[in-house]
Amino acid sequence: MPEDVEMNDSQPQPAAAPPPAASTLQHLKEIASVIEAGSLTKEVRRISRAVRLTVALRRRLAARDVAAFLAFALPHSSEAFARLSSLLPKEDGCEMDVDSAAPAAQVSIKHGLPEIEIYCYLLVLIFLIDNKKYDEAKACASASITRLKNLNRRTVDVLASRVYTYYSYVHELTSSLAEIRGTLLALHRMATLHRDELGQETLLNLLLRNYLHYNLYDQAEKLRSKAPRFEAHSNQQFCRYLFYLGKIRTIQLEYTDAKESLLQAARKAPTTARGFRVQCNKWAIIVRLLLGEIPERTVFMQKGMKAALAPYFELTNAVRVGDLELFRAVAEKFASTFSADRTRNLIVRLRHNVIRTGLRNISISYSRISLADIAKKLRLDSENPVADAESIVAKAIRDGAIDATIDHANGWMVSKETGDVYSTNEPQIAFNSRIAFCLNMHNEAVKALRFPPNSHKEKESAEKRRERLQQEEELAKHMAEEDDDDF
């Protein structure tokens, strides 16, 4: 019997090993080259892309990577290198990240660029905050602000706006926001003089947040009303501005404007910004209840928000039913939640709405009812409930909440027959508000359109059109990434 011969050629060849992933240091070097290209060509879009790449990389940052990058990006004799290196924690027994893991081309950058220096400050600041080194982070932020005061370059504006944000954030974490209010005002004035509109947007929001943190609503409104107006450059900053404006309007009892601002902020915010959208919805629910509206059930059932909005769902149910006792129980049960959300003072205002809703239900159910029974049904616990019920009914009739009359001699409330709602102006008002909303959305969409210069004069070739569509696709992708990352 012939022997079996092993055929080496028929054996499957082992698959080629995948190339090793690029190291964190290599990624940082590539980001630095993107910033350098943006600085030399004066393309702000490249700087924005570098910031987005950094946000995606921040969870992988280690002290050795940041230290190695500082040695690569900054001259060793520079003041910035000495200051930033001293702020980084020392890791004993850890070697620096080696680029040999990734067979990428060697990256070199030009030293002395202000954009690279400010990026190094931003990188160290993010690393220190993520590692809860707040004292070192405050020192780094203060040094970066001092350096930014001497710069006036449009390519630095994107990096500067991020530095301003983290500068305020680290002081908020250490409960020292009041200390930097003067600095933020000076920076806002400087950004206005330098025509840095992105910096103005960012700093205005930081100042509004600073004032609202200490409940200084009047000062916040004065600053907002006197600040320069311009077209919004960042969707994230515009959402924050609308949210702060809604809070100010709510405290000032301008509920209609507050509702519009809060709902617009929640609608414009990216879907990944769940925490921000939850806050917007909480305030919008309270404002709608204060306006006498009952939010739809779908508002409370949004994906990822059901648990956070549960206290406000129970509160809305109490207001809808008009049960004062249930309202008190809900307010006491979730008192800590409402205090943490800073909405407890607004919920105190809702007591009158609960009484008015209960009175409206009573007027619909009874054609004639005594004031004593009204006081009993509303569960008024005052010394003279009948007199209180009479004053509440009189005020509701005067405000148009119910259509009834008071028979003072017999102590009755006599409800008038319910007429046809279509004979009133209510349908017209509802349609008008919907039309105004659609027109406003159309105008905003038209304003957001962008056209290349002289597009109406020149006829583009098929190649140019293909290139333009590719650029638009890339820009849309970058804008979507920015929306996801910034919140």
Side-chain angles (χ1 to χ4, degrees), residues 191-208:
T192 305
L193 294 174
H194 290 173
R195 300 184 182 277
D196 174 12
E197 294 187 351
L198 180 58
Q200 291 178 63
E201 275 185 329
T202 305
L203 289 163
L204 177 60
N205 284 334
L206 294 176
L207 283 165
L208 292 178

Side-chain angles (χ1 to χ4, degrees), residues 261-287:
S261 297
L262 291 167
L263 291 178
Q264 192 176 1
R267 192 170 58 249
K268 282 181 172 290
T271 54
T272 51
R274 188 174 298 168
F276 179 80
R277 291 172 59 233
V278 165
Q279 287 297 320
C280 290
N281 277 287
K282 286 178 178 179
W283 279 75
I285 289 166
I286 298 293
V287 169

Side-chain angles (χ1 to χ4, degrees), residues 89-95:
K90 301 295 185 291
E91 293 188 356
D92 297 330
C94 291
E95 297 179 358

Side-chain angles (χ1 to χ4, degrees), residues 190-247:
M190 183 185 74
T192 305
L193 294 174
H194 290 173
R195 300 184 182 277
D196 174 12
E197 294 187 351
L198 180 58
Q200 291 178 63
E201 275 185 329
T202 305
L203 289 163
L204 177 60
N205 284 334
L206 294 176
L207 283 165
L208 292 178
R209 184 180 183 88
N210 196 306
Y211 284 124
L212 298 185
H213 183 80
Y214 294 100
N215 297 322
L216 302 173
Y217 288 91
D218 290 338
Q219 293 185 35
E221 172 58 20
K222 287 178 182 177
L223 172 68
R224 189 207 62 80
S225 61
K226 296 181 184 298
R229 303 290 177 86
F230 48 82
E231 186 180 351
H233 286 262
S234 169
N235 180 60
Q236 297 82 19
Q237 297 299 336
F238 186 51
C239 288
R240 292 188 180 101
Y241 174 78
L242 289 172
F243 176 58
Y244 298 143
L245 177 61
K247 292 178 76 171

Side-chain angles (χ1 to χ4, degrees), residues 44-56 157-159 161-162 198 201-202 232-240 268-273 450 474-487:
V44 179
R45 180 175 58 85
R46 291 178 182 268
I47 310 293
S48 301
R49 180 168 176 266
V51 173
R52 287 194 298 272
L53 293 172
T54 305
V55 172
D157 293 346
V158 176
L159 297 169
S161 65
R162 288 301 181 104
L198 180 58
E201 275 185 329
T202 305
H233 286 262
S234 169
N235 180 60
Q236 297 82 19
Q237 297 299 336
F238 186 51
C239 288
R240 292 188 180 101
K268 282 181 172 290
T271 54
T272 51
R450 295 180 182 179
E474 184 181 354
L475 179 61
K477 183 180 178 183
H478 288 334
M479 291 174 69
E481 289 176 359
E482 184 177 355
D483 284 348
D484 292 344
D485 294 339
D486 202 53
F487 280 92

